Amino acid sequence: DASKAILATRVDKHIYEEILRLGPLQNGQMEYHETARLISVRANSVILQEHDTEAPSPSPSSSQQPHSTKQSVIVACAGTTDLPIAEEAALTLSVSSVPT
């Protein structure tokens, strides 16, 4: 859920390292994504909730699998120059719980 995450974009690695020097987060997890130059922060409660709601994998003995109507988004880019923007888009979708 996007309301339970923080994204900081256009962050150079040295800025992220300065933030880390302030000390660890008390109730969340912060991650730096170098290609996208993005910091994502998620609350521990969101991480635990996502872990608890993961669906069990279907049993291999099922002969019929229901057709999935779940939609997803494809993030594509034309070349390596576009990778930072594509990764930023993919991370934004992921944090917003949109499957990519």
Side-chain angles (χ1 to χ4, degrees), residues 12-97:
D12 291 324
K13 187 159 187 164
H14 74 278
I15 299 294
Y16 171 69
E17 290 167 353
E18 289 294 320
I19 293 169
L20 285 178
R21 289 184 190 163
L22 296 174
L25 293 177
Q26 296 297 317
N27 296 305
Q29 180 179 19
M30 179 170 49
E31 186 175 356
Y32 183 67
H33 309 273
E34 193 165 358
T35 301
R37 295 177 42 219
L38 183 140
I39 294 174
S40 60
V41 179
R42 295 171 14 141
N44 287 342
S45 61
V46 173
I47 296 166
L48 292 173
Q49 180 182 17
E50 288 174 353
H51 186 271
D52 290 343
T53 59
E54 288 178 359
S57 35
S59 80
S61 62
S62 300
S63 61
Q64 289 186 325
Q65 296 294 327
H67 179 68
S68 174
T69 59
K70 193 173 192 178
Q71 297 181 350
S72 62
V73 176
I74 295 174
V75 178
C77 63
T80 57
T81 311
D82 298 331
L83 281 176
I85 303 304
E87 185 169 336
E88 181 180 327
L91 288 166
T92 300
L93 290 165
S94 176
V95 168
S96 301
S97 300

